[in-house]
């Protein structure tokens, strides 16, 4: 069945360092979404990527969708303490969303 | 802030009880979803709906049912609660905006404990 893997599971960085999380699907996806979940909160939508090779930026966040539409990455430049949380990717395959296991980011001030 | 609501927020119940988790949205979204999430883990799709009288099973649906009689309302029912159902249940909705855009708005969740 469909699987979406996400690495790393945890990442501890010093404030100001960069951070990247990777998402890999076992099948080709229609699109991929990224969400952020703060501790004790619910997932909040960040962005959606649809096209092969697409790259989108939101201030310090850069999102990329692979050419084969089976992998994606989220890169944060110069992390801040407000970036703390778990980042999930969610791939759309045959009208169902499959969430990755998430990468928990901790930022030390 | 998205207008999607879930009740109750917390529920502690005994084994074998029938429970219904409520979810309502006021955004007029056609698509609605139920996910199960254990602390710090991924979200698993339980059920989803494309609109009134439309319901589909996700990968984790065998012990629950849903209904979609009104656009804004998508309740989830567990016929006989078990300790293995202890988890957080998240409801979400989305509006198809064309070109495959499907931003999901999540409710605050129901944290269920089955004793």
């Amino acid at each position: 069945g469909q699987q979406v893997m996400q690495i790393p599971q945890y990442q501890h960085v010093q404030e100001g360092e960069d951070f990247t999380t990777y998402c890999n699907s076992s099948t080709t996806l229609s699109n991929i979404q990224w969400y952020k979940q703060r501790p004790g909160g619910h997932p909040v939508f960040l962005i959606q990527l649809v096209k092969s090779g697409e790259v989108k930026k939101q201030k310090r966040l850069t999102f990329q969708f692979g050419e084969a539409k089976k992998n994606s990455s989220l890169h944060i430049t110069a992390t801040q303490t407000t970036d703390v949380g778990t980042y999930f990717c969610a791939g759309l395959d045959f009208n169902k969303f499959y969430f990755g296991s998430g990468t928990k980011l901790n930022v030390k001030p | 802030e998205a207008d999607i609501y879930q009740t109750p927020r917390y529920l502690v119940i005994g084994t074998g009880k029938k429970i219904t988790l409520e979810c309502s949205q006021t955004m007029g979204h056609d698509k609605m979803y139920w996910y199960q999430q254990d602390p710090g883990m991924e979200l698993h799709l339980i059920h989803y709906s494309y609109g009134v009288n439309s319901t589909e099973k996700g990968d984790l649906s065998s012990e629950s049912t849903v209904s979609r009689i009104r656009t804004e309302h998508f309740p989830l029912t567990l016929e006989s609660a078990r300790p293995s159902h202890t988890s957080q249940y998240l409801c979400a909705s989305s509006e198809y905006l064309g070109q495959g855009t499907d931003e999901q708005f999540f409710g605050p969740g129901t944290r269920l404990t089955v004793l």
Side-chain angles (χ1 to χ4, degrees):
Chain A
Q2 165 62 263
Q3 283 189 324
V4 176
M5 258 74 72
Q6 202 172 338
I7 56 170
Q9 189 175 1
Y10 300 97
Q11 186 80 56
H12 301 271
V13 299
Q14 199 72 39
E15 190 172 23
E17 292 181 339
D18 292 356
F19 160 77
T20 304
T21 174
Y22 300 91
C23 186
N24 292 287
S25 169
S26 57
T27 61
T28 302
L29 301 169
S30 302
N31 66 51
I32 196 157
Q33 299 178 343
W34 284 92
Y35 291 82
K36 178 183 178 181
Q37 186 174 23
R38 293 181 184 275
H42 57 272
V44 175
F45 177 85
L46 294 175
I47 209 158
Q48 177 168 293
L49 304 170
V50 179
K51 299 176 183 175
S52 169
E54 189 170 14
V55 178
K56 287 188 176 180
K57 292 191 175 185
Q58 287 180 350
K59 296 182 180 178
R60 295 179 293 106
L61 276 61
T62 301
F63 305 84
Q64 187 166 2
F65 202 8
E67 293 290 341
K69 300 183 75 173
K70 294 178 73 173
N71 61 322
S72 181
S73 64
L74 157 60
H75 180 82
I76 302 178
T77 304
T79 55
Q80 300 174 359
T81 54
T82 53
D83 295 326
V84 165
T86 301
Y87 293 84
F88 291 97
C89 61
L92 181 64
D93 184 21
F94 288 106
N95 295 317
K96 292 183 184 180
F97 280 103
Y98 294 89
F99 276 76
S101 51
T103 296
K104 190 172 182 179
L105 172 64
N106 186 38
V107 180
K108 291 180 286 186
Chain B
E1 192 71 19
D3 297 320
I4 180 162
Y5 309 97
Q6 290 185 245
T7 57
R9 293 292 310 278
Y10 302 91
L11 179 62
V12 180
I13 202 162
T15 297
K17 299 290 187 183
K18 178 179 178 179
I19 58 172
T20 296
L21 308 184
E22 302 288 348
C23 176
S24 295
Q25 51 96 4
T26 58
M27 297 172 283
H29 287 170
D30 287 326
K31 294 185 179 181
M32 295 190 74
Y33 314 82
W34 275 105
Y35 292 93
Q36 183 177 338
Q37 183 185 32
D38 291 329
M41 304 296 285
E42 67 262 48
L43 285 73
H44 293 284
L45 183 65
I46 310 172
H47 294 277
Y48 60 105
S49 167
Y50 287 132
V52 171
N53 294 325
S54 151
T55 60
E56 302 286 342
K57 293 184 176 183
D59 292 334
L60 210 67
S61 61
S62 59
E63 299 171 356
S64 61
T65 58
V66 291
S67 62
R68 190 87 183 275
I69 299 172
R70 304 196 315 267
T71 298
E72 62 271 21
H73 194 215
F74 191 42
L76 174 76
T77 298
L78 288 173
E79 291 294 332
S80 179
R82 296 208 305 267
S84 60
H85 293 137
T86 295
S87 188
Q88 173 160 260
Y89 292 82
L90 290 163
C91 180
S93 72
S94 70
E95 178 185 22
Y96 184 76
L97 298 175
Q99 296 186 342
T101 53
D102 253 322
E103 174 181 351
Q104 295 180 68
F105 295 89
F106 283 84
T110 293
R111 196 168 293 278
L112 172 66
T113 302
V114 183
L115 303 175

